Amino acid sequence: MSSPPKTSESELKKLNPKKEEEGFQVTSNLSNYRGGKNLRFGPASRTNFKRRGDTNRVRTTKYTIINYIPKSLLLQFKRAANVYFLVITILTSMPFSPKSPESMIGTFAFVLLVTMIKEGYEDWQRYKQDREVNHKEAMVFDYDTQDFEFIPWKDLEEGDLVKLNKDEPIPADLLLICSSNTDSGLAFVDTMNLDGETNLKERISIEDFKDYSLAEVSRLDGHVDYELPNENLVKWNGKVTIEAKNIQKACKLPQLMLRGSVLKNTQFCYGVVVYSGHDTKIMKNAKKPPSKSSNVLKKMNFLLYSVFAFQAVLCLSFAVASIVWQNSNADKHSYLGEMDIDPGNFIIKALTFWVAYSHLIPISLYVALEILKIAQAVLINWDRDLYYQPLDRRATARTSDLIEELGQVEFIFSDKTGTLTCNVMEFKKCSIHGHIYGDHPEYPLKSPKTINGDKSAYKVLQSAGRETTEKTLIYDFFGLLAVCHTVVPDKNETTQELQYQASSPDELALVEGAAQMGFRFISRTSETLTVDIMGEIIVWDVLNELPFNSARKRMSVIVRHPKTKQIILMTKGADNVMMPLLKNSQMEQDAVQNHIDDFAREGLRTLAMAQKVIPEEEYSEWKKQFVKLNLSTSDDKDESLDLLYAELELELNLVGASAIEDKLQEHVPRTIKNLMDANIRVWVLTGDKQETAIEIGKSCQLIDERMELAILSSPNQEVLRSKIERYLTSFRRDPHAEHSILPPKQLAIVIDGPTLVWALHEEVARDFLELGLIANSCICCRVSPLQKSLVVKLAKDHGNWITLAVGDGANDVSMIHEAHLGIGIMGKEGTQAVRASDYAIAQFKFLEKLLLVHGRWGYRRVCWFICYYFYKNITVVFTEFFFAIVSGFSGQIYFVEWLPMMYNAFWTSWPCLFTYTFEQDVDAKNSVQHPEIY
């Protein structure tokens, strides 16, 4: 077989656009390791080693015993209101004050003390968690005694040789030397606490050391050159050198075991500490989410400033009135002792009135408002209607600061997979050699040797006679599904049944679908992969894995056929990426593309599969480039590897296409309909094909037969602009119409990722958003995580709308952070979205009650509470106001000092607080049944 023609670098870059680092930042990337770290390990550097202590200690607390009081007070006085009351407290202590200072000092100190106690309690909880973690014990090799000893995590140092046993958490970032799996060198880790993903990750020992015993490991003496500490969780480069053995090996992310992970499915492993304490990846990524404040709070602050301005005008006016009164009446009232008119008197009088009317601004407003919001958050946490029994999960208000925002949402931006759907994938159909299998079920859906209950593919495989193209392709298709993946098998210790751990539900569904057809994946090592093909055990040699990423949108494996000894490249990926790589005739490509489009119109998720035989000479040349590039330390190493992979993934032979079903969650259509009836615009942002996205939109009632479907996908920006202008002309509301609340016709928008790039350009963005406002719904398909956040930002930047983003995976974190409100779904893609969110729910259907009931109640309660709080204080001050008129503007107070304090603190605050904690103008049932009152 001849070598495929070479493709130019520019063409390869089109196939592999530069990868975006989605959701991660990189502070340092090594260039020939200059400025990186150089770490020595082994007996030469660790014999007679004296520990410094606390080198691996982590601290997440805000305060220490020494700085608690000054730092807490400093943070308190960053609030303008507290500065105001500090000034008032000082003025109250002046001789001209009409009030005694004790009452004001006591009240202000109480407010500060309550807030300090709250922050101190929260910090004490963090301290206890830190202490528990820091005092866990790790097994560290002592080169003096030649044995392991237990030391606290906090005392671990870079260069320590650590032993981990199964199910133990990893105490620091370790370079994996070897594991109990001596044949493969593999170790498996659960990274749930680090990246939120539930699947097990594969870690690979350094090739030369994978079968070393403890004695051999303890004699290793060398050094590691590697990157400076940084946040990057997707890339890491280093180089291990053992001078005595003349060994120099590149190490990458698969050799790095990160703190926060847990060792799984591996009896034990040995590793060298390379990052400790706050240099570890988990601590580098432990950044606070962006600070969010509600619109109501901003308006309240504006109201405070307005009241302050009114108070200033009032005090200055009364000071002038006092001087005028003195000028006119001082001689009649000589006993007052104010015969002399001093210019300084004006300032004293103004300050006197300021102190007298200081409770015009309620001192306890912030504290009382925080108590009210915490109570609303507790009510959400305790709501049984938001409890999901199958997963034993309840709704969680992760912040109480944004309760009122839930009642003002006008835009919802939702992910699809795992958010609207169950994220439980089932292999439903496939297209092979122009035939669709899985269309005619005649057996139960999960029956062996069937696809969705259809046994026709298996019958072709079992048919006697000569080999046909169709029979060969069916065999190749399911063989590819059983081999081309990153699934990890695990045997259940109780039932001894084989279970699969997969990086995504799609991949798991494909492997399980192949197993159902008789192509059962059994086990893997770093060099082999074993498959039971209809009773015959076949062991494939795995030469290379070309991993999936968001830019490539495909993955490949290079294997050696166990019988023919041919080198085969197997590839699977998105059809829009795979089709340009095929060498099949246009007729064959069109046939499978039609089937893929049909699958998509049924709402199924699709992938295309292809493979080719690689000549030995071509693979040898490619392998040399791969090894050289793999050992390099250049900044663009990953991009260069993507280009190298693309050189091989050309001139492929089409094998077939798969279709996977991901069912909608319960009550999703009803929830979306109710939210839209509440005049909330719902946009779905998904990575699926356009046809799949449209069908899902119809299923969940984002699109119905009354709506005109505007497909904005365009080949260039000018075509897009003309489409938007045409729809705007047709659907734009008439401002002079008597009833112009809704457009005369209903519209649904569909746009794909490449077109969205143009739609977000400044010259088109405003018109695109206007069309989105006119439309009832919008579906953006084939979008990246970055584009999701940019769409949310578009809505935020061009209006005062409250935006809400809801998602379940790590790829939704950027839009959750960007939106005013972030909702995390506790799904199957881990907990990263939940950890980034403001509120967490188990199912999309719970969004209905969260917004229409708790959101509306919270918004009304907070707003009425703030209005009442100002009202009651203004009422008291205006009594003083009228008293000033009849008391010669003297600045004396009408009420005895403690009465306004009791009035504010007890007689009005607590009844107000309890009333607005539970007040309901409409009950929960009617709030859901009549969403238009939202």
Side-chain angles (χ1 to χ4, degrees):
M1 182 177 177
S2 60
S3 300
K6 294 292 180 183
T7 306
S8 70
E9 187 172 326
S10 61
E11 290 174 321
L12 289 173
K13 284 183 176 178
K14 288 178 183 177
L15 294 171
N16 287 267
K18 187 174 180 180
K19 179 181 178 180
E20 299 170 25
E21 296 292 346
E22 292 151 357
F24 303 103
Q25 299 172 341
V26 185
T27 56
S28 167
N29 200 4
L30 230 53
S31 179
N32 297 322
Y33 302 113
R34 287 191 296 272
K37 300 192 73 165
N38 179 282
L39 174 69
R40 294 209 66 86
F41 65 92
S45 58
R46 310 303 283 189
T47 305
N48 299 320
F49 181 70
K50 300 297 181 185
R51 295 193 176 276
R52 293 170 290 168
D54 283 355
T55 46
N56 193 43
R57 178 187 291 273
V58 296
R59 185 171 77 88
T60 60
T61 56
K62 188 189 295 184
Y63 306 109
T64 64
I65 294 175
I66 297 172
N67 70 14
Y68 168 57
I69 293 176
K71 188 174 181 180
S72 181
L73 285 173
L74 183 65
L75 292 174
Q76 293 292 332
F77 288 112
K78 285 188 175 181
R79 282 184 173 178
N82 284 343
V83 174
Y84 168 83
F85 287 115
L86 176 63
V87 173
I88 292 294
T89 304
I90 294 170
L91 292 176
T92 307
S93 305
M94 297 295 180
F96 56 77
S97 170
K99 298 180 180 180
S100 62
E102 291 82 6
S103 60
M104 192 65 199
I105 291 172
T107 307
F108 186 42
F110 176 75
V111 170
L112 292 178
L113 186 63
V114 168
T115 309
M116 287 176 66
I117 289 173
K118 171 183 170 287
E119 291 198 345
Y121 174 76
E122 290 174 349
D123 216 48
W124 173 252
Q125 298 303 314
R126 287 191 286 267
Y127 168 75
K128 289 197 295 184
Q129 292 173 352
D130 289 349
R131 192 174 187 281
E132 182 182 348
V133 169
N134 288 326
H135 285 80
K136 286 182 179 179
E137 291 190 326
M139 294 177 66
V140 179
F141 191 76
D142 188 327
Y143 285 90
D144 296 323
T145 63
Q146 290 292 300
D147 199 4
F148 283 98
E149 63 175 358
F150 287 95
I151 68 168
W153 278 22
K154 67 185 181 65
D155 294 332
L156 278 175
E157 294 195 28
E158 293 175 2
D160 280 342
L161 177 62
V162 176
K163 180 181 180 181
L164 288 173
N165 292 313
K166 185 179 179 181
D167 296 327
E168 284 186 352
I170 299 172
D173 290 355
L174 307 178
L175 176 65
L176 179 60
I177 302 297
C178 62
S179 75
S180 55
N181 301 316
T182 53
D183 56 339
S184 64
L186 293 179
F188 300 97
V189 292
D190 178 354
T191 60
M192 167 75 81
N193 293 330
L194 188 64
D195 58 15
E197 295 183 7
T198 54
N199 57 291
L200 296 184
K201 303 291 194 309
E202 191 178 88
R203 292 294 177 257
I204 306 171
S205 308
I206 297 171
E207 182 65 26
D208 291 47
F209 313 140
K210 68 179 184 181
D211 56 354
Y212 271 30
S213 64
L214 173 59
E216 291 172 302
V217 170
S218 65
R219 288 197 294 270
L220 283 175
D221 214 335
H223 66 269
V224 189
D225 298 290
Y226 57 105
E227 297 179 4
L228 290 170
N230 61 67
E231 302 100 324
N232 198 342
L233 294 173
V234 296
K235 184 166 62 174
W236 183 76
N237 289 313
K239 186 164 56 180
V240 179
T241 304
I242 308 294
E243 293 91 345
K245 296 179 178 290
N246 197 26
I247 293 175
Q248 191 176 78
K249 287 287 180 181
C251 44
K252 298 172 66 178
L253 193 63
Q255 282 78 47
L256 188 64
M257 304 180 73
L258 303 180
R259 177 177 180 143
S261 307
V262 178
L263 187 68
K264 293 286 187 181
N265 294 6
T266 309
Q267 292 305 311
F268 65 85
C269 70
Y270 301 115
V272 173
V273 177
V274 290
Y275 297 121
S276 63
H278 287 268
D279 285 345
T280 56
K281 298 280 187 183
I282 191 170
M283 295 307 296
K284 286 290 182 182
N285 279 277
K287 293 183 174 64
K288 291 182 180 178
S291 177
K292 297 180 180 180
S293 60
S294 72
N295 273 8
V296 170
L297 189 62
K298 292 173 184 174
K299 288 178 182 177
M300 188 188 80
N301 288 334
F302 175 76
L303 191 59
L304 281 171
Y305 297 139
S306 301
V307 171
F308 175 75
F310 170 73
Q311 184 184 22
V313 171
L314 184 67
C315 293
L316 291 172
S317 301
F318 276 24
V320 171
S322 177
I323 298 297
V324 171
W325 188 91
Q326 284 182 45
N327 207 20
S328 304
N329 301 289
D331 55 338
K332 301 176 187 177
H333 303 278
S334 57
Y335 59 87
L336 293 176
E338 296 186 351
M339 301 292 290
D340 298 326
I341 306 299
D342 185 353
N345 245 8
F346 173 77
I347 297 174
I348 297 298
K349 283 294 181 183
L351 293 177
T352 301
F353 282 113
W354 194 10
V355 171
Y357 303 155
S358 59
H359 46 278
L360 189 64
I361 295 178
I363 189 171
S364 58
L365 175 59
Y366 282 107
V367 174
L369 186 59
E370 194 160 333
I371 293 172
L372 176 69
K373 288 186 175 184
I374 289 172
Q376 302 306 304
V378 170
L379 291 176
I380 290 174
N381 293 344
W382 287 356
D383 192 335
R384 290 186 178 182
D385 291 340
L386 302 183
Y387 171 71
Y388 189 57
Q389 190 172 8
L391 296 178
D392 189 28
R393 286 173 176 167
R394 57 183 174 83
T396 305
R398 293 169 52 80
T399 177
S400 60
D401 294 338
L402 303 172
I403 288 287
E404 63 272 28
E405 298 284 81
L406 291 171
Q408 305 172 72
V409 174
E410 293 177 84
F411 266 107
I412 292 178
F413 298 93
S414 175
D415 175 44
K416 183 188 78 69
T417 304
T419 303
L420 301 179
T421 62
C422 298
N423 208 11
V424 177
M425 311 294 183
E426 289 187 9
F427 184 68
K428 282 293 183 182
K429 298 180 183 181
C430 60
S431 168
I432 304 172
H433 195 55
H435 293 90
I436 293 178
Y437 297 99
D439 247 356
H440 306 289
E442 45 189 316
Y443 299 91
L445 300 183
K446 293 289 185 180
S447 298
K449 316 296 190 263
T450 70
I451 304 168
N452 194 34
D454 183 351
K455 210 168 186 176
S456 54
Y458 186 76
K459 289 176 182 177
V460 174
L461 285 175
Q462 293 296 306
S463 60
R466 65 184 183 84
E467 292 292 311
T468 62
T469 303
E470 183 178 4
K471 187 174 182 179
T472 302
L473 286 176
I474 292 174
Y475 187 95
D476 288 347
F477 179 83
F478 288 102
L480 186 148
L481 296 188
V483 174
C484 183
H485 57 76
T486 58
V487 173
V488 177
D490 181 25
K491 191 167 284 188
N492 187 301
E493 294 180 0
T494 306
T495 63
Q496 295 300 305
E497 291 182 358
L498 201 63
Q499 296 176 333
Y500 295 131
Q501 297 278 349
S503 59
S504 73
D506 300 73
E507 195 159 52
L508 179 62
L510 293 174
V511 173
E512 288 179 341
Q516 189 175 331
M517 269 293 292
F519 292 69
R520 188 163 170 262
F521 165 54
I522 297 175
S523 64
R524 73 186 314 146
T525 69
S526 61
E527 297 176 347
T528 64
L529 189 143
T530 306
V531 182
D532 177 354
I533 299 182
M534 295 185 287
E536 182 183 3
I537 304 298
I538 297 180
V539 181
W540 297 77
D541 292 329
V542 180
L543 305 180
N544 296 94
E545 180 185 309
L546 316 185
F548 172 91
N549 64 44
S550 58
R552 284 165 41 75
K553 294 184 180 178
R554 61 186 182 273
M555 76 152 292
S556 301
V557 293
I558 303 173
V559 294
R560 189 179 295 277
H561 196 286
K563 295 179 179 178
T564 65
K565 302 303 178 184
Q566 289 179 315
I567 297 175
I568 301 175
L569 171 75
M570 298 179 175
T571 305
K572 65 180 181 188
D575 60 281
N576 63 323
V577 172
M578 293 291 290
M579 290 303 172
L581 308 179
L582 301 178
K583 73 172 186 180
N584 298 70
S585 68
Q586 193 60 48
M587 186 182 297
E588 291 174 306
Q589 292 188 38
D590 289 344
V592 76
Q593 187 64 61
N594 289 336
H595 288 167
I596 288 173
D597 292 342
D598 289 341
F599 295 155
R601 280 188 282 272
E602 295 176 38
L604 303 176
R605 298 163 63 90
T606 58
L607 287 174
M609 287 73 180
Q611 64 182 34
K612 73 172 182 179
V613 175
I614 306 174
E616 289 280 354
E617 309 79 36
E618 182 185 344
Y619 176 72
S620 297
E621 286 299 316
W622 182 89
K623 184 71 178 290
K624 288 176 185 176
Q625 295 179 57
F626 174 76
V627 171
K628 181 180 178 182
L629 192 53
N630 214 27
L631 288 170
S632 77
T633 57
S634 63
D635 289 342
D636 61 347
K637 177 177 176 177
D638 284 356
E639 288 75 14
S640 300
L641 281 171
D642 283 354
L643 291 172
L644 187 65
Y645 299 157
E647 285 186 11
L648 213 55
E649 294 167 329
L650 293 170
E651 297 291 304
L652 302 176
N653 297 299
L654 179 66
V655 174
S658 64
I660 298 170
E661 182 183 43
D662 186 11
K663 292 182 179 178
L664 283 178
Q665 291 179 17
E666 189 180 23
H667 301 317
V668 165
R670 187 196 73 187
T671 301
I672 288 179
K673 181 181 183 300
N674 260 11
L675 293 173
M676 292 172 70
D677 287 345
N679 203 25
I680 299 174
R681 297 168 183 84
V682 181
W683 288 28
V684 172
L685 313 175
T686 177
D688 282 338
K689 278 175 62 66
Q690 182 171 289
E691 293 80 5
T692 305
I694 290 172
E695 289 307 311
I696 292 294
K698 290 177 180 176
S699 301
C700 44
Q701 295 192 12
L702 277 170
I703 304 171
D704 63 35
E705 64 278 359
R706 295 170 297 168
M707 297 180 185
E708 182 172 339
L709 190 61
I711 298 178
L712 299 183
S713 303
S714 306
N716 57 60
Q717 189 169 322
E718 289 307 313
V719 173
L720 171 65
R721 183 179 293 178
S722 66
K723 284 185 179 180
I724 291 175
E725 288 174 353
R726 187 171 74 250
Y727 283 113
L728 280 176
T729 303
S730 177
F731 284 85
R732 188 177 271 132
R733 303 169 190 178
D734 181 3
H736 304 294
E738 186 178 351
H739 304 288
S740 59
I741 295 173
L742 289 173
K745 294 183 288 184
Q746 294 187 324
L747 179 68
I749 296 172
V750 176
I751 186 170
D752 62 16
T755 308
L756 191 60
V757 174
W758 299 317
L760 294 174
H761 280 182
E762 190 175 347
E763 57 269 25
V764 183
R766 190 174 292 276
D767 287 342
F768 171 63
L769 181 61
E770 184 184 349
L771 186 61
L773 293 170
I774 291 172
N776 299 75
S777 60
C778 178
I779 299 175
C780 304
C781 48
R782 294 288 198 199
V783 294
S784 68
L786 178 62
Q787 285 179 313
K788 289 183 179 182
S789 65
L790 290 175
V791 171
V792 176
K793 189 174 186 297
L794 175 68
K796 281 179 64 179
D797 291 350
H798 290 84
N800 296 319
W801 304 285
I802 302 298
T803 59
L804 180 149
V806 53
D808 73 316
N811 60 339
D812 302 316
V813 169
S814 56
M815 76 168 179
I816 285 173
H817 278 166
E818 185 64 46
H820 293 97
L821 283 163
I823 308 292
I825 302 287
M826 306 173 200
K828 294 180 177 294
E829 291 191 19
T831 60
Q832 199 161 348
V834 169
R835 293 207 303 259
S837 67
D838 304 304
Y839 298 89
I841 54 178
Q843 293 275 286
F844 184 83
K845 65 180 179 181
F846 295 148
L847 193 61
E848 179 181 51
K849 187 171 186 184
L850 186 66
L851 297 187
L852 302 186
V853 179
H854 288 289
R856 184 176 174 278
W857 284 350
Y859 179 39
R860 292 189 80 258
R861 289 166 180 171
V862 169
C863 290
W864 279 104
F865 179 84
I866 292 170
C867 291
Y868 179 79
Y869 229 78
F870 277 104
Y871 162 75
K872 68 184 184 64
N873 280 48
I874 290 171
T875 302
V876 173
V877 170
F878 265 76
T879 306
E880 303 275 10
F881 169 85
F882 290 114
F883 178 67
I885 296 173
V886 298
S887 63
F889 301 99
S890 62
Q892 295 307 302
I893 55 176
Y894 178 66
F895 295 109
V896 68
E897 295 169 24
W898 58 269
L899 277 176
M901 296 298 173
M902 295 296 290
Y903 171 86
N904 275 322
F906 294 100
W907 299 332
T908 56
S909 289
W910 288 107
C912 172
L913 194 58
F914 281 113
T915 299
Y916 287 113
T917 296
F918 301 106
E919 187 271 342
Q920 299 178 12
D921 65 323
V922 180
D923 63 23
K925 183 178 179 182
N926 281 301
S927 294
V928 173
Q929 287 180 348
H930 304 283
E932 58 274 5
I933 67 175
Y934 177 74

